[in-house]
Amino acid sequence: MKKLLLFSLLGVASCELPPRQGSTAGVANTFTETTPPGATEEYVMVTTAVSMPMYVNHDQATFLRWGRAHKVKVSILGPADWDVPAQINTIEEVIGTRPAGLLINGTDPAIGPVLNKAVAAGIPTVVYDSDIPNSKRHAFLGTDWYEIGKMQGNEMVRLLGGKGKIAYMGILGLTNMEAGFRGLLDVVKNYPGIEIVGKFDDKANVEDAARITSDLLAAHPDLAGLCGFDSNSGPGMGLAVKEAGRVGKVKITTVDWEPEHLQLVQEGVIQMLAGQKRELFTWYGAQFLYDMVHQTNRLSAHDEQAGITNIPTAVNTGLLRITKKNVNEFISRSAN
């Protein structure tokens, strides 16, 4: 069993470390959020790369805040690294503990069968971030990655005036990022003055993104633009562009809005961030689970027998467009 971690988050100083009730040996050695007095329901989030700052600062912080607001127990489980098989194993074991609801980060289509097991076991199951359309999950909340790609494409066209060499990078092969790549290409193909010099896999690693960018700048001294699709693409590209003395000459658009991304926008290194509303993923995802458990909105005399799910099937939470004009609003928010 891979190492599992549950992280207490900012502002949660009194976490306990008890084994989860009904847990199997594989999930016993986990940290758990303090259970409010009288709490009888447990809602479990399962992700992978559980220590990734983007997950910790947005998804997990919101999920814990939601649990406190509703006075229910919440737990966050998953492997420390990007390890989809370990995430699947974790979900398998959590199903046996019969939580009130499962909030699953849709990392890879391979988790579809285990989501079906959870649903078959009668556990409300909501997927967030990236959909698993081959599964029987009750609902999905997240961002349309094709629109992320289009947003970057349109911005790059505007920044370059429709002319110049560009490259793009992210985690190749992931369903959501490939959709983003398609969105970018569908915009750029309408501008023959833009030449794409390559698609690159930075493996969500800052060092890889910086190395790829440095190589591109050496091979294409007239490179005009870069588009990033994972959380570490932007910081890596920004680092290389700064080191090459090309700030402002090479335009950068990318995803996410962690403090380092915002700082690079403020410095004029990155021109636009396509931000996800991740807080909405987990707050409303958890609320959907709660509403299923408590039958908040009944649609028939017996929804389950009628084969009805009393929550939305899919929710697109939309995008944030962050530029130098509004970046201070997001920096101030991060500081609070």
Side-chain angles (χ1 to χ4, degrees):
M1 184 67 191
K2 299 287 185 182
K3 182 181 180 182
L4 300 175
L5 297 175
L6 174 94
F7 283 81
S8 59
L9 299 182
L10 296 175
V12 181
S14 58
C15 291
E16 300 173 346
L17 308 176
R20 296 174 59 250
Q21 290 184 348
S23 64
T24 61
V27 295
N29 297 320
T30 60
F31 295 7
T32 60
E33 165 71 346
T34 300
T35 305
T40 59
E41 297 173 11
E42 181 186 23
Y43 295 83
V44 181
M45 170 189 283
V46 184
T47 182
T48 189
V50 72
S51 59
M52 184 183 294
M54 180 179 69
Y55 291 166
V56 173
N57 296 333
H58 298 275
D59 309 4
Q60 298 168 16
T62 302
F63 186 53
L64 293 176
R65 180 164 55 86
W66 177 87
R68 289 192 292 273
H70 288 71
K71 296 181 172 54
V72 297
K73 180 178 181 179
V74 293
S75 302
I76 304 168
L77 304 174
D81 301 320
W82 187 271
D83 188 339
V84 173
Q87 184 191 17
I88 293 170
N89 288 340
T90 305
I91 298 170
E92 290 264 16
E93 297 201 14
V94 173
I95 290 171
T97 71
R98 303 291 302 179
L102 276 173
L103 187 58
I104 306 295
N105 187 357
T107 53
D108 190 281
I111 70 174
V114 76
L115 297 182
N116 294 345
K117 285 186 181 180
V119 172
I123 301 172
T125 302
V126 168
V127 171
Y128 70 94
D129 200 356
S130 184
D131 198 6
I132 308 297
N134 64 335
S135 75
K136 297 178 180 177
R137 89 291 186 276
H138 292 107
F140 163 72
L141 302 92
T143 303
D144 185 332
W145 274 79
Y146 181 79
E147 291 299 322
I148 288 181
K150 285 183 63 179
M151 188 176 185
Q152 292 204 62
N154 286 321
E155 187 72 10
M156 191 57 69
V157 168
R158 188 187 70 80
L159 289 166
L160 302 186
K163 298 178 182 177
K165 292 181 178 179
I166 70 170
Y168 60 102
M169 65 186 74
I171 306 173
L172 304 191
L174 282 188
T175 302
N176 55 359
M177 289 195 195
E178 293 293 341
F181 299 154
R182 288 197 301 276
L184 170 68
L185 296 179
D186 281 351
V187 171
V188 171
K189 70 182 180 184
N190 297 314
Y191 296 88
I194 292 182
E195 177 188 351
I196 295 177
V197 300
K199 168 185 178 181
F200 300 91
D201 191 349
D202 64 23
K203 300 178 175 60
N205 184 286
V206 172
E207 289 74 21
D208 281 356
R211 176 186 51 76
I212 291 167
T213 301
S214 294
D215 291 346
L216 280 167
L217 293 172
H220 303 280
D222 55 347
L223 187 73
L226 291 161
C227 301
F229 284 85
D230 66 63
S231 188
N232 289 325
S233 300
M237 294 188 299
L239 177 65
V241 167
K242 287 172 72 174
E243 288 183 350
R246 301 289 303 279
V247 171
K249 296 177 182 175
V250 178
K251 308 298 185 185
I252 299 176
T253 66
T254 189
V255 298
D256 295 329
W257 49 290
E258 296 308 302
E260 60 269 35
H261 298 76
L262 299 174
Q263 182 65 38
L264 289 168
V265 171
Q266 195 175 50
E267 294 174 3
V269 180
I270 292 176
Q271 278 64 50
M272 189 206 72
L273 302 174
Q276 297 175 292
K277 301 175 182 176
R278 301 194 68 90
E279 284 76 0
L280 304 191
F281 297 173
T282 41
W283 182 278
Y284 290 109
Q287 190 64 43
F288 283 1
L289 294 171
Y290 188 89
D291 287 344
M292 286 187 71
V293 171
H294 293 270
Q295 301 183 50
T296 304
N297 295 296
R298 291 188 179 182
L299 303 176
S300 70
H302 302 286
D303 286 355
E304 186 173 351
Q305 290 89 326
I308 296 172
T309 302
N310 65 337
I311 57 174
T313 303
V315 176
N316 179 353
T317 52
L319 295 171
L320 302 170
R321 180 177 180 273
I322 302 175
T323 68
K324 201 166 187 176
K325 288 185 178 179
N326 64 357
V327 68
N328 287 338
E329 297 293 335
F330 296 90
I331 291 176
S332 298
R333 180 263 191 195
S334 298
N336 293 330

